[in-house]
């Protein structure tokens, strides 16, 4: 039987495999999972729920291991067709995780981490509180890290720009309750992710 420590170590092995393939994601899963941990604590979730969300955040992009290198490592902006392929990564990730019964609760959260509160996300167009709460937390933290880091097609946002964008998308892209917590404890999130400020 795996204990919590061994389970966490196994998850880190899996995420490291993805980061070895895609250097661009190096550190991304850690930063997102650390912010998820901070938000989950502030929202008062139980230890078991917090652990579930934290582990799911570590693995949220594991499906990218099934995306062709020509798309995953492309140095410019993706075409619509290429973006359509990238959008398959939550479903690929869920399929991978469902190979192990112990990962089933994580698979459901990973599957929906790109859903939007207004129903315009993917893969299912699920909306509002029908989206698993772990997925809703990851969505906010994933977006923060995407904005706070340089991408092949754009420079990193400033911290202020990122902060304002998260607030602006409250109730559309993101769960407003989670945005409220993220905004209130913004400094904690920045420290958890260890961004240069």
């Amino acid at each position: 039987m795996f204990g919590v420590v061994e389970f966490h170590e196994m998850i880190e092995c899996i995420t490291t495999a993805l980061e070895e393939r895609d250097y661009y994601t190096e550190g991304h899963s850690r930063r997102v999972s650390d912010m998820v941990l901070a938000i989950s604590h502030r929202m008062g979730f139980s230890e078991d729920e917090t652990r579930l969300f934290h582990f799911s955040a570590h693995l949220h992009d594991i499906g990218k291991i099934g995306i062709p290198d020509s798309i995953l490592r492309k140095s410019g902006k993706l075409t619509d067709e290429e973006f359509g392929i990238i959008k398959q990564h939550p479903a690929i990730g869920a399929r991978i995780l469902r190979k192990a019964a112990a990962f089933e609760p994580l698979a459901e959260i990973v599957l929906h981490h790109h859903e939007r509160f207004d129903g315009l996300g993917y893969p299912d167009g699920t909306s509002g509180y029908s989206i698993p709460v772990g997925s809703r937390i990851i969505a906010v933290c994933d977006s923060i890290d995407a904005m706070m880091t340089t991408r092949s097609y754009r420079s990193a946002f400033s911290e202020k720009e990122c902060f304002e964008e998260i607030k602006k998308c409250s109730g559309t892209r993101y769960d407003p309750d989670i945005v409220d917590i993220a905004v209130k404890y913004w400094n904690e999130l920045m420290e958890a992710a260890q961004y240069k400020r």
Side-chain angles (χ1 to χ4, degrees), residues 2-10 47-48 51 55:
F2 286 115
V4 173
V5 173
E6 290 82 7
F7 198 75
H8 197 183
E9 288 175 343
M10 184 167 61
E47 186 177 333
D48 285 345
R51 187 179 299 123
F55 287 172

Side-chain angles (χ1 to χ4, degrees), residues 71 78-88 114 122:
I71 296 174
L78 299 175
T79 66
D80 289 344
E81 182 180 357
E82 290 167 337
F83 185 58
I85 293 170
I86 280 283
K87 285 168 69 174
Q88 296 173 19
H114 276 295
Y122 59 90

Side-chain angles (χ1 to χ4, degrees), residues 16 27 44 57 72 81 89 95 109 122 126 128 135 177 192 194:
T16 299
L72 193 62
E81 182 180 357
H89 81 269
R95 281 201 306 273
I109 292 172
Y122 59 90
T126 307
S135 306
D177 299 328
Q194 298 177 10

